[in-house]
PDB file of all heavy atoms in Angstrom:
ATOM      1  N   SER A 207      -9.805 -17.019 -19.301  1.00 98.00           N
ATOM      2  CA  SER A 207      -9.442 -15.821 -18.589  1.00 98.00           C
ATOM      3  C   SER A 207      -8.216 -16.020 -17.766  1.00 98.00           C
ATOM      4  O   SER A 207      -7.331 -15.088 -17.630  1.00 98.00           O
ATOM      5  CB  SER A 207     -10.632 -15.373 -17.679  1.00 98.00           C
ATOM      6  OG  SER A 207     -11.721 -15.048 -18.427  1.00 98.00           O
ATOM      7  N   PHE A 208      -8.037 -17.216 -17.173  1.00 98.00           N
ATOM      8  CA  PHE A 208      -6.727 -17.508 -16.511  1.00 98.00           C
ATOM      9  C   PHE A 208      -5.577 -17.446 -17.465  1.00 98.00           C
ATOM     10  O   PHE A 208      -4.481 -16.945 -17.163  1.00 98.00           O
ATOM     11  CB  PHE A 208      -6.812 -18.919 -15.823  1.00 98.00           C
ATOM     12  CG  PHE A 208      -5.472 -19.322 -15.273  1.00 98.00           C
ATOM     13  CD1 PHE A 208      -4.995 -18.773 -14.053  1.00 98.00           C
ATOM     14  CD2 PHE A 208      -4.656 -20.176 -15.949  1.00 98.00           C
ATOM     15  CE1 PHE A 208      -3.758 -19.216 -13.528  1.00 98.00           C
ATOM     16  CE2 PHE A 208      -3.456 -20.565 -15.441  1.00 98.00           C
ATOM     17  CZ  PHE A 208      -2.959 -20.072 -14.256  1.00 98.00           C
ATOM     18  N   GLU A 209      -5.779 -18.064 -18.668  1.00 98.00           N
ATOM     19  CA  GLU A 209      -4.749 -18.012 -19.678  1.00 98.00           C
ATOM     20  C   GLU A 209      -4.303 -16.566 -20.025  1.00 98.00           C
ATOM     21  O   GLU A 209      -3.168 -16.219 -20.117  1.00 98.00           O
ATOM     22  CB  GLU A 209      -5.177 -18.686 -20.910  1.00 98.00           C
ATOM     23  CG  GLU A 209      -4.889 -20.126 -20.975  1.00 98.00           C
ATOM     24  CD  GLU A 209      -5.197 -20.740 -22.419  1.00 98.00           C
ATOM     25  OE1 GLU A 209      -4.371 -20.570 -23.295  1.00 98.00           O
ATOM     26  OE2 GLU A 209      -6.333 -21.238 -22.613  1.00 98.00           O
ATOM     27  N   GLU A 210      -5.319 -15.663 -20.201  1.00 98.00           N
ATOM     28  CA  GLU A 210      -5.053 -14.286 -20.498  1.00 98.00           C
ATOM     29  C   GLU A 210      -4.286 -13.608 -19.427  1.00 98.00           C
ATOM     30  O   GLU A 210      -3.289 -12.875 -19.647  1.00 98.00           O
ATOM     31  CB  GLU A 210      -6.393 -13.587 -20.729  1.00 98.00           C
ATOM     32  CG  GLU A 210      -7.138 -14.020 -21.970  1.00 98.00           C
ATOM     33  CD  GLU A 210      -8.579 -13.474 -21.996  1.00 98.00           C
ATOM     34  OE1 GLU A 210      -8.998 -12.768 -21.015  1.00 98.00           O
ATOM     35  OE2 GLU A 210      -9.327 -13.745 -22.996  1.00 98.00           O
ATOM     36  N   LEU A 211      -4.672 -13.876 -18.198  1.00 98.00           N
ATOM     37  CA  LEU A 211      -3.931 -13.266 -17.032  1.00 98.00           C
ATOM     38  C   LEU A 211      -2.563 -13.847 -16.919  1.00 98.00           C
ATOM     39  O   LEU A 211      -1.609 -13.143 -16.679  1.00 98.00           O
ATOM     40  CB  LEU A 211      -4.748 -13.538 -15.748  1.00 98.00           C
ATOM     41  CG  LEU A 211      -4.147 -12.999 -14.440  1.00 98.00           C
ATOM     42  CD1 LEU A 211      -3.911 -11.543 -14.522  1.00 98.00           C
ATOM     43  CD2 LEU A 211      -5.004 -13.405 -13.210  1.00 98.00           C
ATOM     44  N   HIS A 212      -2.438 -15.171 -17.027  1.00 98.00           N
ATOM     45  CA  HIS A 212      -1.144 -15.825 -16.957  1.00 98.00           C
ATOM     46  C   HIS A 212      -0.171 -15.206 -17.991  1.00 98.00           C
ATOM     47  O   HIS A 212       0.986 -14.870 -17.677  1.00 98.00           O
ATOM     48  CB  HIS A 212      -1.267 -17.310 -17.132  1.00 98.00           C
ATOM     49  CG  HIS A 212      -0.013 -18.057 -16.815  1.00 98.00           C
ATOM     50  ND1 HIS A 212       0.079 -19.422 -17.043  1.00 98.00           N
ATOM     51  CD2 HIS A 212       1.184 -17.685 -16.316  1.00 98.00           C
ATOM     52  CE1 HIS A 212       1.317 -19.823 -16.618  1.00 98.00           C
ATOM     53  NE2 HIS A 212       1.961 -18.769 -16.221  1.00 98.00           N
ATOM     54  N   ASN A 213      -0.646 -15.087 -19.246  1.00 98.00           N
ATOM     55  CA  ASN A 213       0.169 -14.596 -20.324  1.00 98.00           C
ATOM     56  C   ASN A 213       0.606 -13.091 -20.030  1.00 98.00           C
ATOM     57  O   ASN A 213       1.793 -12.692 -20.280  1.00 98.00           O
ATOM     58  CB  ASN A 213      -0.494 -14.652 -21.646  1.00 98.00           C
ATOM     59  CG  ASN A 213      -0.626 -16.079 -22.130  1.00 98.00           C
ATOM     60  OD1 ASN A 213       0.073 -16.967 -21.687  1.00 98.00           O
ATOM     61  ND2 ASN A 213      -1.649 -16.326 -23.011  1.00 98.00           N
ATOM     62  N   THR A 214      -0.304 -12.298 -19.529  1.00 98.00           N
ATOM     63  CA  THR A 214      -0.034 -10.930 -19.200  1.00 98.00           C
ATOM     64  C   THR A 214       1.017 -10.862 -18.088  1.00 98.00           C
ATOM     65  O   THR A 214       2.012 -10.027 -18.144  1.00 98.00           O
ATOM     66  CB  THR A 214      -1.320 -10.200 -18.835  1.00 98.00           C
ATOM     67  OG1 THR A 214      -2.163 -10.235 -19.920  1.00 98.00           O
ATOM     68  CG2 THR A 214      -1.001  -8.720 -18.530  1.00 98.00           C
ATOM     69  N   VAL A 215       0.790 -11.562 -16.983  1.00 98.00           N
ATOM     70  CA  VAL A 215       1.740 -11.547 -15.837  1.00 98.00           C
ATOM     71  C   VAL A 215       3.137 -11.981 -16.350  1.00 98.00           C
ATOM     72  O   VAL A 215       4.142 -11.357 -15.958  1.00 98.00           O
ATOM     73  CB  VAL A 215       1.189 -12.425 -14.753  1.00 98.00           C
ATOM     74  CG1 VAL A 215       2.275 -12.553 -13.641  1.00 98.00           C
ATOM     75  CG2 VAL A 215      -0.056 -11.759 -14.133  1.00 98.00           C
ATOM     76  N   GLN A 216       3.174 -12.990 -17.071  1.00 98.00           N
ATOM     77  CA  GLN A 216       4.435 -13.524 -17.527  1.00 98.00           C
ATOM     78  C   GLN A 216       5.200 -12.496 -18.418  1.00 98.00           C
ATOM     79  O   GLN A 216       6.350 -12.292 -18.380  1.00 98.00           O
ATOM     80  CB  GLN A 216       4.275 -14.840 -18.304  1.00 98.00           C
ATOM     81  CG  GLN A 216       5.553 -15.630 -18.564  1.00 98.00           C
ATOM     82  CD  GLN A 216       5.235 -17.075 -19.049  1.00 98.00           C
ATOM     83  OE1 GLN A 216       4.426 -17.249 -19.952  1.00 98.00           O
ATOM     84  NE2 GLN A 216       5.881 -18.064 -18.447  1.00 98.00           N
ATOM     85  N   LYS A 217       4.428 -11.832 -19.295  1.00 98.00           N
ATOM     86  CA  LYS A 217       4.993 -10.838 -20.195  1.00 98.00           C
ATOM     87  C   LYS A 217       5.582  -9.636 -19.369  1.00 98.00           C
ATOM     88  O   LYS A 217       6.666  -9.161 -19.670  1.00 98.00           O
ATOM     89  CB  LYS A 217       3.901 -10.310 -21.118  1.00 98.00           C
ATOM     90  CG  LYS A 217       4.367  -9.218 -22.109  1.00 98.00           C
ATOM     91  CD  LYS A 217       3.186  -8.794 -22.984  1.00 98.00           C
ATOM     92  CE  LYS A 217       3.646  -7.596 -23.835  1.00 98.00           C
ATOM     93  NZ  LYS A 217       2.487  -7.076 -24.663  1.00 98.00           N
ATOM     94  N   ILE A 218       4.867  -9.258 -18.303  1.00 98.00           N
ATOM     95  CA  ILE A 218       5.294  -8.009 -17.574  1.00 98.00           C
ATOM     96  C   ILE A 218       6.375  -8.406 -16.557  1.00 98.00           C
ATOM     97  O   ILE A 218       7.348  -7.640 -16.360  1.00 98.00           O
ATOM     98  CB  ILE A 218       4.087  -7.422 -16.818  1.00 98.00           C
ATOM     99  CG1 ILE A 218       3.159  -6.767 -17.860  1.00 98.00           C
ATOM    100  CG2 ILE A 218       4.541  -6.323 -15.856  1.00 98.00           C
ATOM    101  CD1 ILE A 218       1.832  -6.293 -17.339  1.00 98.00           C
ATOM    102  N   THR A 219       6.278  -9.581 -15.928  1.00 98.00           N
ATOM    103  CA  THR A 219       7.225  -9.888 -14.784  1.00 98.00           C
ATOM    104  C   THR A 219       8.280 -10.862 -15.170  1.00 98.00           C
ATOM    105  O   THR A 219       9.360 -10.920 -14.526  1.00 98.00           O
ATOM    106  CB  THR A 219       6.426 -10.507 -13.662  1.00 98.00           C
ATOM    107  OG1 THR A 219       5.948 -11.816 -13.950  1.00 98.00           O
ATOM    108  CG2 THR A 219       5.282  -9.597 -13.275  1.00 98.00           C
ATOM    109  N   GLY A 220       8.056 -11.724 -16.121  1.00 98.00           N
ATOM    110  CA  GLY A 220       9.016 -12.825 -16.534  1.00 98.00           C
ATOM    111  C   GLY A 220       8.867 -14.025 -15.622  1.00 98.00           C
ATOM    112  O   GLY A 220       9.449 -15.054 -15.900  1.00 98.00           O
ATOM    113  N   PHE A 221       7.947 -14.049 -14.644  1.00 98.00           N
ATOM    114  CA  PHE A 221       7.748 -15.223 -13.781  1.00 98.00           C
ATOM    115  C   PHE A 221       6.917 -16.267 -14.510  1.00 98.00           C
ATOM    116  O   PHE A 221       5.909 -15.955 -15.227  1.00 98.00           O
ATOM    117  CB  PHE A 221       7.089 -14.843 -12.458  1.00 98.00           C
ATOM    118  CG  PHE A 221       7.948 -14.008 -11.578  1.00 98.00           C
ATOM    119  CD1 PHE A 221       7.484 -12.777 -11.096  1.00 98.00           C
ATOM    120  CD2 PHE A 221       9.253 -14.371 -11.312  1.00 98.00           C
ATOM    121  CE1 PHE A 221       8.336 -12.017 -10.229  1.00 98.00           C
ATOM    122  CE2 PHE A 221      10.034 -13.580 -10.453  1.00 98.00           C
ATOM    123  CZ  PHE A 221       9.596 -12.435  -9.946  1.00 98.00           C
TER     124      PHE A 221
END
Side-chain angles (χ1 to χ4, degrees):
S207 297
F208 171 79
E209 271 189 81
E210 293 168 357
L211 178 58
H212 191 185
N213 291 338
T214 300
V215 171
Q216 195 168 46
K217 178 182 175 183
I218 291 171
T219 70
F221 293 128

